Amino acid sequence: MAPLEEKETDSDSTGLSEIASIASSRPNLWTSLSVKNDIDWNCDDPEEIQYLTFWSSFRSSMISKIRTCIDKPTIPLKAVALFLLLTSSLLIILHRAARTQERLEITETRKLAGDVASWFSGELEKAIMPLFTLSQFVQHLSIFEELGRKIGPRGRPMSAPPLLTRNITHRNITGVVSEEATNEFEAIAAKIKKDSILGSTLLNLQLAPHAVVSMIHPLINRDENDASVILDNRGAIGHDLLNDPNRAKIARETVPAPGVVIAGPLALIQSNGTGVEDALIARLAIHMANNSLIVDEVDYECWGFVVIIIDWGKLKKKSGLYTKFEREGLEFNMVRLFVDVAPFTFR
C-alpha cells in the first residue's frame, strides 16, 4: 500500500507544475505594464489591449513632457506663474464682486429704511393738522377760553380739587365743564376726526385746560365692524398731566415748546388690556394771554394742551413695515430718538 500512496503524490506534483508553467507562459497585463519596451500587442483580450494602449500613450506623453521640462526649465515656471496670476485675479474679482454686492445691499436697505421713515413722517404731519385746527377753536371761543382759569393750579382755593380715589394723578373736575361746552366740543371734534385722513388710526381728540384732561372725543372707541369697545377713555377724564409722575416730564417739556410734542409709543392709562396696546400722544400747548401755567417755577401764559391719541399698532400695520422688510429678508429694530425735528419734538 505504501508504493501506491507515493505514486499518487508524484502525480499531483507533476500536475501542479504543468499548471504553473501554462499560467506563466500566458501574457499578463501587469507584467506587460511593468516592462518599459516589451509590450505584447498579440494578445486576444480587448480589455487588455485597451489598457495597454492607454499605458503606452500615457508613458510616451509623460516622457515627452519630462524631456521638455529638462530641456526648457522655464516652461513649468511660466505655467506656475500664469496659474498663480489667474488664481489671484479670480480671487480679486470675487472679492470686489462680494464688496459690490454688499454695498448694493446696504444701499438698498438704507433706501428702504429711509422710505419707511419718510412715510411715518408724512403720516405724523397729517396727524398734527387736527391739533392746530382744534387749537384755533379754543382760542376764539370764549366757552373754552375760561376753562383753564376754572380748573386752576392744584391745591389753590377755588381750584379743582384732587380726585379722592386717584389723589396724585387726577383732579375732580365735576361741574367745571358745562354741558354747553361739552356739546360744542363734541360737534367740533367729531367734524375734525371725520375729515381727518387718518381714519381709525386717530383714536381721539382731547382738551386739557390747565394740563388737566377735561374733554375727549370719542369718549368710548368702538370697533368699526362689530361695535365692541376697544378703548374706554372715561378713566382719562381729570388726568392731571403735570402731576402724574409717569407723564409729568413730557408734559412739562410741552408747555414751553414752540410746536407739537409727540410722546411714545407708550401704554395708555385707560387701555386696561383692550385692543389698543401702545399709542403715540401728540400735544400742542396753547399760549394765550390772561392764562397761567407754572412749570419749574416759571410762569407761562399758557391755557393748556390740545391732544390727539394715535394708535401705534394700526399705524405700523398701515405702513406695511413688517411685510416690506420680510420680503427683502431683513430684520429691523425701531428705536425712539429724543430729537427736535420741526414741526415735532419727539420724547
Side-chain angles (χ1 to χ4, degrees):
M1 294 297 294
L4 180 60
E5 184 178 352
E6 199 171 12
K7 183 178 180 181
E8 204 171 22
T9 302
D10 291 341
S11 175
D12 291 341
S13 299
T14 303
L16 291 172
S17 298
E18 290 176 354
I19 292 171
S21 176
I22 294 170
S24 62
S25 64
R26 291 182 179 177
N28 183 276
L29 171 63
W30 307 110
T31 303
S32 301
L33 291 176
S34 64
V35 180
K36 182 176 180 181
N37 296 314
D38 299 332
I39 298 178
D40 184 8
W41 297 98
N42 297 320
C43 63
D44 298 328
D45 189 351
E47 183 180 352
E48 186 172 344
I49 292 174
Q50 183 180 0
Y51 281 125
L52 291 174
T53 303
F54 167 75
W55 176 251
S56 176
S57 175
F58 175 75
R59 186 177 61 187
S60 300
S61 176
M62 290 302 298
I63 291 173
S64 174
K65 286 180 173 59
I66 291 171
R67 286 175 177 171
T68 301
C69 291
I70 293 173
D71 295 339
K72 299 178 180 179
T74 58
I75 291 179
L77 294 177
K78 290 179 179 179
V80 171
L82 180 61
F83 172 77
L84 293 176
L85 178 62
L86 292 175
T87 303
S88 301
S89 300
L90 179 60
L91 291 174
I92 292 173
I93 291 172
L94 291 175
H95 176 70
R96 289 183 175 177
R99 289 291 301 275
T100 301
Q101 180 64 25
E102 182 181 2
R103 285 195 294 267
L104 179 61
E105 291 177 355
I106 291 174
T107 301
E108 291 177 349
T109 302
R110 286 176 175 171
K111 183 180 183 303
L112 176 59
D115 291 344
V116 171
S118 297
W119 185 89
F120 276 104
S121 179
E123 289 298 297
L124 292 177
E125 286 182 3
K126 298 172 187 175
I128 68 173
M129 294 307 298
L131 287 175
F132 290 102
T133 304
L134 189 55
S135 71
Q136 291 299 311
F137 282 101
V138 171
Q139 294 177 66
H140 292 90
L141 295 178
S142 59
I143 198 171
F144 297 129
E145 194 270 338
E146 64 182 8
L147 291 177
R149 292 189 295 272
K150 281 186 175 182
I151 292 175
R154 174 183 277 260
R156 298 279 183 88
M158 305 303 292
S159 293
L163 190 65
L164 294 179
T165 56
R166 306 172 79 174
N167 182 47
I168 297 177
T169 61
H170 284 62
R171 308 264 299 271
N172 186 350
I173 59 170
T174 303
V176 172
V177 182
S178 66
E179 183 178 352
E180 182 184 359
T182 300
N183 292 337
E184 188 74 22
F185 169 75
E186 284 290 328
I188 294 170
K191 178 64 174 174
I192 292 174
K193 190 175 188 304
K194 181 181 179 181
D195 292 343
S196 170
I197 60 177
L198 294 176
S200 60
T201 304
L202 176 59
L203 289 170
N204 58 59
L205 298 92
Q206 305 177 5
L207 287 186
H210 210 85
V212 176
V213 178
S214 303
M215 288 177 276
I216 302 175
H217 174 82
L219 194 58
I220 297 177
N221 288 89
R222 297 184 180 277
D223 188 271
E224 295 176 343
N225 299 318
D226 57 14
S228 60
V229 176
I230 59 174
L231 189 65
D232 188 341
N233 300 292
R234 289 175 292 184
I237 295 293
H239 188 200
D240 191 345
L241 301 174
L242 289 177
N243 289 282
D244 182 348
N246 295 320
R247 298 288 191 265
K249 183 178 183 299
I250 300 173
R252 289 171 183 272
E253 291 177 356
T254 303
V255 173
V260 178
V261 176
I262 299 177
L266 44 79
L268 300 173
I269 63 170
Q270 67 267 37
S271 61
N272 296 322
T274 55
V276 180
E277 295 182 359
D278 294 308
L280 296 177
I281 303 176
R283 300 189 184 103
L284 175 66
I286 299 178
H287 299 279
M288 295 173 60
N290 302 319
N291 286 272
S292 174
L293 263 182
I294 299 175
V295 176
D296 299 326
E297 300 181 354
V298 178
D299 194 345
Y300 295 93
E301 283 191 334
C302 182
W303 175 88
F305 310 135
V306 286
V307 184
I308 61 169
I309 308 296
I310 301 169
D311 190 330
W312 175 238
K314 281 190 176 181
L315 191 63
K316 287 191 295 183
K317 185 176 181 181
K318 184 179 177 181
S319 72
L321 179 67
Y322 295 99
T323 303
K324 290 176 182 177
F325 276 85
E326 184 178 353
R327 185 170 58 241
E328 300 298 328
L330 298 171
E331 296 180 352
F332 67 92
N333 183 30
M334 298 189 75
V335 180
R336 183 176 62 182
L337 299 177
F338 296 86
V339 295
D340 295 335
V341 183
F344 313 116
T345 298
F346 292 93
R347 291 291 184 264

